[in-house]
Amino acid sequence: MCVVLELGLIGYPEAYKLQRTLQRQRVEGKISDVLLLVEHPPTITIGKSGTLDNVLISSEQLVQQGISLFFIDRGGDVTYHGPGQLVGYPIIDLRQREKDLHCYIHNLEEVILRTLKDFSIDGDRDECHPGVWVNEEEIAAIGLSLRRWVSMHGFALNVNINLEHFSFINPCGFSDRRATSMSKILGSNVPMEEAANNLISHFYDVFN
């Protein structure tokens, strides 16, 4: 069983605190698996393998742009979050599945690939880097952490997000790749509710 909580726009610190609480409860067997779906205000996060070198503007400019910055405990490098991006935080006990992080990442990518396909967008994997790409532009980032094989953090799918803000970072540490979005590819905004509903359906299918 997996409970889906759609929380709408929520600050990054609040979402992080909730994830930590749910992860602890899942480790202790007090709750079932949970999928949190959220949007964040403009936020840059730097993972355990990331550095400030991949943030291309100063702290003063970040403040002027209204963008928050957090160093966090997920894998990966620098990621941008903002309104119009569908962020998923699965709190899943992998002890009750195969204890295989690569398989878990592959399944998250599969959920996103199927969601994109619903909108006639063909995404690709990069065997060297987690995430989903369209014509070598990143449309979905993935960054995770595990505690006793219970997952935290997750994926961020660019639906209608402001892509200009990605110019402030090297997305996932890549200086030679850029981000894209569903709305940019399709030439029009995508209803967030429709994207979320399709993603939830594929999440249930892929994770049984």
Side-chain angles (χ1 to χ4, degrees), residues 3-208:
V3 176
V4 178
L5 301 177
E6 297 183 75
L7 303 181
L9 187 67
I10 181 174
Y12 193 88
E14 292 80 7
Y16 179 82
K17 182 178 180 180
L18 178 58
Q19 284 188 78
R20 294 290 289 178
T21 298
L22 293 174
Q23 186 189 46
R24 182 180 66 253
Q25 292 174 341
R26 190 69 184 103
V27 166
E28 296 170 352
K30 294 180 178 179
I31 61 172
S32 63
D33 291 338
V34 178
L35 173 62
L36 300 177
L37 289 180
V38 306
E39 294 178 63
H40 288 308
T43 305
I44 290 172
T45 65
I46 301 178
K48 290 186 292 186
S49 61
T51 71
L52 271 173
D53 292 340
N54 285 317
V55 178
L56 307 178
I57 61 175
S58 67
S59 57
E60 291 80 9
Q61 290 172 305
L62 287 174
V63 171
Q64 291 171 2
Q65 294 287 338
I67 300 174
S68 301
L69 174 67
F70 299 98
F71 288 86
I72 57 172
D73 57 353
R74 62 161 170 78
D77 206 296
V78 177
T79 299
Y80 173 76
H81 299 300
Q85 183 186 65
L86 185 59
V87 181
Y89 296 129
I91 313 298
I92 292 183
D93 190 347
L94 299 180
R95 295 171 298 185
Q96 299 182 6
R97 302 169 179 272
E98 57 285 319
K99 289 183 179 180
D100 187 333
L101 182 58
H102 293 290
C103 180
Y104 177 56
I105 291 171
H106 186 277
N107 285 340
L108 291 179
E109 291 169 341
E110 183 64 25
V111 171
I112 295 165
L113 289 167
R114 293 186 187 186
T115 302
L116 293 174
K117 194 72 173 178
D118 291 339
F119 295 89
S120 301
I121 298 173
D122 292 322
D124 297 302
R125 290 182 173 90
D126 182 335
E127 296 304 322
C128 298
H129 185 80
V132 176
W133 311 78
V134 177
N135 297 325
E136 297 190 354
E137 293 184 319
E138 189 171 48
I139 197 167
I142 292 177
L144 309 169
S145 69
L146 296 178
R147 178 179 175 228
R148 298 183 187 176
W149 287 102
V150 174
S151 65
M152 189 176 134
H153 299 294
F155 59 84
L157 173 61
N158 297 335
V159 183
N160 305 314
I161 195 168
N162 180 1
L163 291 175
E164 290 183 9
H165 285 177
F166 283 92
S167 67
F168 302 154
I169 64 171
N170 289 325
C172 295
F174 288 105
S175 60
D176 59 342
R177 294 192 186 184
R178 290 292 171 255
T180 191
S181 67
M182 296 173 68
S183 60
K184 178 186 176 183
I185 293 167
L186 297 174
S188 61
N189 277 0
V190 173
M192 289 293 288
E193 183 178 1
E194 182 179 356
N197 288 342
N198 288 22
L199 187 140
I200 291 167
S201 177
H202 293 307
F203 189 90
Y204 276 119
D205 288 343
V206 171
F207 286 96
N208 298 315

